Structure formats: structure tokens, C-alpha cells
């Protein structure tokens, strides 16, 4: 600020100065790097996925490559039971995961929003898994679920579960086991999003309600929840898209198994492209995933009232 | 508050209703719930949060074959083994490089773009904002195939540059929205005042806006670092040589080994967690603000 004061020029007339300080090209120059990167590495790849989806494209079988029309899609919808299974599992995974995260996340946010001794430390601790990656979460829960030395063994001692196979390799336990592992990391994330909005609720409202003798449960229903409505809807949708897209956790925790029991559509796509090199078919599956995501985006844009009056 | 105080000190008017009596128990202000209603659920949740952390720490510190529930006698053999034999030293260096480069690129590019979005009205702004929003729904994982093709064309397969570029691009939309919201919170009049004093736009931005943006930039930079540190699939796909791999890929290879060495896996996990934990300890207080600035509201 001292530098500013040191420049003792008489102020120029505002209009001229503003025009000279704001060349018309400036905003375009400023967004150019971001726009170019996004065009090159998001927009172009999206378009080429659509192009590949109509091709037989497998680098390890070049003699079969070429235009395939809608064969990939026909195959997916009529001849590939795995595809349908992954769709069903994706839906199940997203609904259960996001539903539980919303429930526990909201509760956790409400608790750590209170004033209590050790709040800072408490928040830091319960939010800490948020920073942990999908792969690290997998590593941790692989240790916990290990049939020989895992915590599951100690639980079996207490009569919860049984000895023997790991919870991750048994078709009857793998789903809840994977859900709990992902909740461990997902609930704090949800709680942070909700807490951010919770802090913007005016305390005056509660004080007024207090004076009127409203109980805390009533205050929650009539003040807190309505205020959080938008944030809850949007973070739920974002979270649903994220849980649908996220591959890291299941890829490393279960690899989609046992017996394809935990394969989501994106995981199936990753396996089809990374392991099987069936790029054409993977692209067709990706196109299907895009259509599903597009639908979600439209719901999101409508609910967030994008382009409407900004508040 | 002031009303209440006023009624206490000023002589009450004759017709004033008596203050509603406060029930002694069970009815307190919204942020004064009974203690047990806070500590009991929080304690249970803390247990769920911390036991897994304890478990991985325990496995990384106790000797192989031990079944003790306390890491004693303590050994650092697992760390040594993972760091040297399983190349985690190399992975660590690569991950730091990717993380820092992604942080710098994301913050710089997003700062420029965010400033344009916050301070100008220009023709393609609406379309650009829409593109930013939509691109948040485009999963990097689904674009692996074309991205691989692009990087092969650019001769960048097996170079960390591919991963840095990909991580940066997928961090950009959210970072830009966040930064532009932070800039909007800095009054425009401050900048105008600096122009009046003879600064050009760049100088005014540097000495007036930038210092006020520091918490926001720290938050955005940290998110970028943590995301690229944690992300797995790009590195797995674009890097083939072992000496180019990053920590998450190394961790995955420890897990998928035929006979999983649990001690090594735990030690690798701890190594993967340390930088992230440090970053979060550092930015804890800016975290909530960062999200309040409008990540959720878009």
C-alpha cells in the first residue's frame, strides 16, 4: 500500500483510465490457457470417445479394426449380461452409498457445528479420512478385513461374523464390506459440504425461535433443514455422480470381484480398456455412461437454476 | 440480545408481557445441546474413524508375525523395506513432483481464468461457465482411451508430464469456480482505488487483490496437490516404467501381489498418507471457508 501512496499523480478522469486499463481482449487472454487445456484434454477426448464407440478398435488385434456401426451398442444391450449386471450394481452402489453418506454426514455436521470443548481437534479427527485416497482406503480396509490378522477376526471372537474367508472374498459380505470402507472416507466429505452451509445460518433465527419457545427438534425442522435444502440437493447429486464415476476404491479394494459382484459400469469400462485393450467396446460403454451422466447434469443444472437470477 | 438487555435495565412498561420462563432442563439454545448428545455419538464416530488409522499404524510398526495389539517392540523394518526394496523412495519423489507441478499449474491457470470470470463481462462468459459446470461431470476415468491416444501422439507416454497435464486439466473447472468466487469477495472498489493512484491493472492486482486471496489460493492449491497425490488411474495408465510410477500405483501393486505382505502394505500406506496429513494440518482452518466460498452453490 505504501507504494500506491508514493505515486503522487493527480487522479486521471475515471472513464479514460478504465478504458485503457481494460483492453477488450484481456478477458479472452486470461481464459485462453484454461479454455485450450479443456478443449484439448476434455472436449476433444469426449468427441473421440463417441467416434471410437462406432469402431472396432483393439490395438492388440489390428486386423479386426474398422468401422463397426452400432455393433458395440447392440452387443452391450443384447449379448452382454455383464453390462446389465454392472448397471444394476452401479445403481445399487450409488443409492446405498449416497443415502448413507447423506444421513451420517448430516448428523456429523450437526454435531460438530455445536460448541463443545475440543471442537477443533474433534473436527480435525473426524474429517481426517476425507484426505485419504481411494487406494489408501483400500489398503487400510484390506488390512482390517484380512481373515487371519484383521479386525474381522476379533469381531468373530465377539460373535460378529465368522472365521475363515475374508469379508472381501465372500459374495455375501463383499457389498456391505465395500460400502463401509467407502463410508469411512465419504461421510466426512459430505459432512464438510453440509457444515460449510450450516455455518451460514443466521443465529438470530435460532434466538428468535428460542424466545418463541420452539424446541430444538422444531428448530431443526423449520430453520436448519429448509436452509440446507439447496446444499443437500446439490451435494447429493454431485456426490452421486462422483460415486458413480469413482473407480479407484473398488478397482483396488475388490477389483470388481468376487465373481464380478462389485463391478460398476466405469470399473467395467476401465477393465475393458486397460486390461482387455478393447477400446472400441469400452468407448461404446463410455457413451452409455455419458448419457446417464448427461441426464444427471440436466437435473443438476435445473435444480441449481443455472443462468437464472443469481443470488 | 439488545432487546433483552434493554428490558432488563429499563423499567418495564406496565403492559409488557413477562419474559417467557426458560425451562430449566432439556431446552437450551441450538448450539448448546446436552453434552452427552454431543460426546456420545461423536465418540462412537471417532472410534469408527480412528480404529482403521490405528490398525494401519500398528501393522506398519510391529514385527512381521506378531499378533500384539500394541506396536511393541517397535520396528521400522517395514518402512525400510518398502522405501528401498519396493521403490517407494522413487515413487515418493515422482509423486511430489506431480503434486507440486499440478498445484502450480492449476493455481496459475485458474487464477487467470478466475479473474476474468469475476471481473469482466464478455461474450462467451456464459458458455464458458456452462462448460466449466458440465466438465465437472466428465470423469477422467472414462476418457482414458482417448487421453492415452493424445499422449502417445505427443510422445508423452511414460513421462510424468502426461500425468501432470491430465491432473491439472481435471482440477481446473472446480479451481476456477472457487478462485473466481474468492475474487468476487474482494471489493472491486479497492482495485479501482489503486488505479486512481496510478497503478496499472497488473500492479493493482498484485498489491491489492493477491494478498487478500491468499487463503483462497492456499485452499485451491492444496486441493490440487492432494487430488493429484491421491489419484491413481492416470499414473497407472500413462506410466509404464517402474521408475516413473507414483505412490498410489505402488500401493496398488503391494495389494495385488500374490502373497500380500501386510507389514509392507501398511508402511506404504503410512508413507502415502504423511504428506496429505501435513497439508491438511496446515490448511485446516481455511478448509471450511474454501467450501463456503461457493463450491457447493456453483
Amino acid at each position: 500500500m505504501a507504494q500506491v501512496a508514493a505515486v503522487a499523480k493527480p487522479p486521471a478522469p475515471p472513464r479514460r483510465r478504465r478504458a485503457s486499463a481494460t483492453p477488450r481482449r484481456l478477458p479472452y487472454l486470461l481464459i485462453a490457457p484454461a479454455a485450450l487445456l479443456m478443449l484439448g484434454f476434455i472436449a476433444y477426448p469426449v468427441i473421440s470417445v463417441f467416434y471410437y464407440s462406432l469402431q472396432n478398435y483393439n490395438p492388440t488385434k489390428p486386423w479386426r479394426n474398422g468401422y463397426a456401426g452400432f455393433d458395440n451398442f447392440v452387443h452391450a444391450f443384447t449379448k452382454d449380461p455383464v453390462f446389465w449386471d454392472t448397471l444394476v450394481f452401479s445403481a445399487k452402489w450409488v443409492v446405498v452409498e449416497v443415502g448413507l453418506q447423506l444421513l451420517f454426514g448430516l448428523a456429523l455436521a450437526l454435531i460438530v457445528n455445536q460448541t463443545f470443548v475440543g471442537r477443533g481437534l474433534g473436527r480435525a479427527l473426524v474429517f481426517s479420512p476425507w484426505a485419504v485416497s481411494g487406494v489408501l482406503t483400500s489398503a487400510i480396509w484390506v488390512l482390517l478385513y484380512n481373515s487371519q490378522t484383521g479386525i474381522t477376526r476379533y469381531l468373530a471372537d465377539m460373535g460378529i461374523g465368522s472365521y475363515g474367508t475374508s469379508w472381501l472374498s465372500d459374495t455375501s459380505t463383499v457389498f456391505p464390506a465395500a460400502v463401509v470402507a467407502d463410508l469411512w472416507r465419504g461421510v466426512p466429505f459430505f459432512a464438510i459440504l453440509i457444515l460449510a452451509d450450516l455455518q451460514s445460518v443466521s443465529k438470530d433465527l435460532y434466538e428468535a425461535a428460542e424466545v418463541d419457545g420452539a424446541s430444538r427438534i422444531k428448530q431443526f425442522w423449520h430453520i436448519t433443514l429448509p436452509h440446507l435444502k439447496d446444499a443437500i440437493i446439490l451435494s447429493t447429486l454431485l456426490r452421486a455422480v462422483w460415486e458413480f464415476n469413482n473407480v479407484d476404491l473398488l478397482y483396488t479394494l475388490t477389483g470388481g470381484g468376487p465373481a464380478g459382484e462389485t463391478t460398476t459400469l466405469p470399473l467395467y469400462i476401465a477393465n475393458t480398456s486397460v486390461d482387455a485393450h478393447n477400446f472400441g467396446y469400452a468407448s461404446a460403454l463410455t457413451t452409455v455412461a455419458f448419457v446417464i451422466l448427461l441426464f444427471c447434469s440436466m437435473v443438476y443444472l435445473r435444480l441449481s437454476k443455472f443462468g437464472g437470477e443469481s443470488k | 440480545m439488545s432487546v433483552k438487555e434493554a428490558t432488563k435495565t429499563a423499567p418495564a412498561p406496565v403492559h409488557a408481557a413477562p419474559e417467557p420462563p426458560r425451562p430449566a432442563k432439556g431446552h437450551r439454545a441450538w448450539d448448546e445441546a446436552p453434552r452427552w448428545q454431543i460426546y456420545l455419538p461423536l465418540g462412537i464416530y471417532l472410534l469408527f474413524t480412528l480404529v482403521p488409522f490405528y490398525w494401519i499404524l500398528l501393522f506398519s510398526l510391529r514385527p512381521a508375525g506378531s499378533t500384539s495389539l500394541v506396536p511393541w517392540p517397535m520396528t521400522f523394518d517395514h518402512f525400510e523395506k518398502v522405501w528401498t526394496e519396493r521403490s517407494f523412495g522413487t515413487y515418493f519423489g515422482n509423486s511430489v513432483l506431480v503434486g507440486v507441478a499440478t498445484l502450480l499449474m492449476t493455481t496459475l491457470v485458474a487464477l487467470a481464468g478466475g479473474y476474468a470470470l469475476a471481473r469482466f463481462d464478455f461474450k462467451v462468459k456464459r458458455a464458458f461457465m456452462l462448460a466449466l459446470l458440465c466438465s465437472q461431470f466428465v470423469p477422467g476415468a472414462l476418457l482414458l482411451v482417448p487421453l492415452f491416444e493424445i499422449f502417445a501422439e505427443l510422445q508423452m507416454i511414460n513421462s510424468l508430464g502426461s500425468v501432470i497435464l491430465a491432473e491439472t486439466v481435471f482440477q481446473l473447472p472446480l479451481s476456477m469456480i472457487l478462485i473466481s468466487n474468492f475474487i468476487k469477495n474482494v471489493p472491486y472498489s479497492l482495485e479501482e482505488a489503486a488505479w486512481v493512484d496510478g497503478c496499472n491493472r497488473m500492479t493493482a492486482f498484485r498489491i491489492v487483490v493477491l494478498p487478500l486471496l491468499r487463503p483462497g489460493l492456499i485452499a485451491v492449491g492444496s486441493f490440487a496437490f492432494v487430488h493429484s497425490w491421491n489419484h491413481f488411474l492416470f499414473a497407472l495408465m500413462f506410466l509404464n516404467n517402474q521408475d516413473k510410477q507414483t505412490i498410489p500405483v505402488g500401493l496398488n501393486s503391494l495389494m495385488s501381489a500374490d502373497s500380500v505382505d501386510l507389514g509392507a502394505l501398511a508402511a506404504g500406506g503410512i508413507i502415502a498418507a504423511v504428506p496429505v496429513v501435513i497439508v491438511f494440518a496446515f490448511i485446516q482452518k481455511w478448509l471450511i471457508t474454501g467450501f463456503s466460498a461457493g463450491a457447493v452453490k456453483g
Side-chain angles (χ1 to χ4, degrees), chain A residues 4 21 52 57 115 130-131 184, chain B residues 31 49 120 149 197 201 230 280:
Chain A
V4 182
Y52 289 141
Y57 178 34
T115 41
W130 177 63
W184 180 74
Chain B
D31 57 351
T49 303
F120 295 101
E149 297 275 301
D197 289 333
R201 210 173 238 282
N230 285 340
F280 272 92

Side-chain angles (χ1 to χ4, degrees), chain B:
Chain B
M1 274 310 212
S2 59
V3 178
K4 263 190 235 163
E5 278 160 21
T7 46
K8 263 182 202 162
T9 49
V14 188
H15 59 273
E19 218 178 296
R22 291 199 164 206
K25 252 189 173 183
H27 181 224
R28 306 186 192 193
W30 68 289
D31 57 351
E32 289 167 16
R35 299 295 91 176
W36 69 268
Q37 281 187 17
I38 295 172
Y39 288 119
L40 186 71
L42 193 66
I44 294 171
Y45 197 82
L46 263 178
L47 212 62
F48 173 60
T49 303
L50 295 182
V51 163
F53 280 128
Y54 180 73
W55 209 248
I56 191 171
L57 200 64
L58 175 69
F59 272 69
S60 71
L61 289 174
R62 73 183 188 192
S66 162
T67 52
S68 159
L69 280 183
V70 282
W72 199 262
M74 200 183 281
T75 171
F76 291 96
D77 289 354
H78 299 303
F79 287 95
E80 220 180 296
K81 191 174 156 199
V82 164
W83 190 264
T84 52
E85 279 174 44
R86 308 304 297 254
S87 318
F88 264 61
T90 314
Y91 301 157
F92 194 88
N94 292 339
S95 277
V96 168
L97 192 66
V98 168
V100 172
T102 306
L103 181 164
L104 291 177
M105 279 184 58
T106 306
T107 315
L108 268 179
V109 176
L111 187 60
Y115 186 77
L117 291 180
R119 290 296 195 239
F120 295 101
D121 249 329
F122 51 99
K123 263 186 191 159
V124 294
K125 181 168 165 176
R126 232 185 92 87
F128 189 69
M129 291 286 288
L130 192 68
L132 282 186
L133 263 177
C134 290
S135 61
Q136 286 199 61
F137 292 99
V138 178
L142 297 191
L143 298 182
L144 279 178
V145 173
L147 284 173
F148 185 88
E149 297 275 301
I150 292 172
F151 288 124
E153 194 69 29
L154 295 172
Q155 312 266 322
M156 284 174 75
I157 293 299
N158 245 340
S159 107
L160 290 177
S162 60
V163 179
I164 294 168
L165 256 180
E167 300 292 355
T168 300
V169 169
F170 285 92
Q171 281 304 304
L172 265 181
L174 183 65
S175 304
M176 217 170 331
I177 292 172
L178 269 174
I179 289 186
S180 92
N181 282 332
F182 276 115
I183 294 178
K184 276 181 202 155
N185 288 341
V186 178
Y188 200 32
S189 54
L190 284 183
E191 268 181 89
E192 288 177 319
W195 303 343
V196 172
D197 289 333
C199 292
N200 63 28
R201 210 173 238 282
M202 189 67 197
T203 326
F205 176 76
R206 192 164 50 81
I207 64 179
V208 176
V209 184
L210 212 50
L212 293 171
L213 277 186
R214 208 170 56 181
L217 290 180
I218 290 175
V220 169
S222 312
F223 294 146
F225 178 85
V226 169
H227 270 276
S228 61
W229 181 271
N230 285 340
H231 199 243
F232 162 67
L233 226 49
F234 289 154
L236 181 75
M237 187 75 175
F238 305 145
L239 306 170
N240 301 322
N241 291 359
Q242 217 206 344
D243 63 344
K244 287 281 167 55
Q245 286 299 0
T246 57
I247 292 261
V249 182
L251 211 50
N252 179 53
S253 68
L254 286 181
M255 253 182 290
S256 46
D258 288 337
S259 57
V260 181
D261 179 349
L262 295 176
L265 179 60
I270 300 283
I271 293 173
V274 164
V276 172
V277 168
I278 292 173
V279 167
F280 272 92
F282 180 60
I283 63 155
Q284 185 73 33
K285 58 178 170 177
W286 287 305
L287 202 71
I288 306 293
T289 338
F291 275 107
S292 300
V296 187
K297 285 166 191 158

Side-chain angles (χ1 to χ4, degrees), chain A residues 123-148:
Chain A
R123 274 189 189 174
L125 288 177
V126 293
F127 288 161
S128 52
W130 177 63
V132 170
S133 68
V135 185
L136 182 51
T137 305
S138 302
I140 291 173
W141 287 87
V142 161
L143 289 173
L144 285 162
Y145 288 142
N146 186 287
S147 59
Q148 304 299 317

Side-chain angles (χ1 to χ4, degrees), chain A residues 48-56 68-73 279-285 287:
Chain A
S48 51
V49 158
F50 297 148
Y51 170 75
Y52 289 141
S53 70
L54 303 175
Q55 305 277 324
N56 274 323
F70 288 94
D71 286 1
N72 286 325
F73 293 97
F279 286 0
Y281 191 52
S283 298
L285 295 177
T287 305

Side-chain angles (χ1 to χ4, degrees), chain A residues 187-210:
Chain A
V187 169
F189 193 100
F190 227 114
I192 291 172
L193 290 179
I194 292 175
L195 180 62
D197 212 53
L198 208 51
Q199 297 195 325
S200 67
V201 191
S202 163
K203 289 203 180 190
D204 296 351
L205 287 174
Y206 293 102
E207 268 162 21
E210 191 71 12

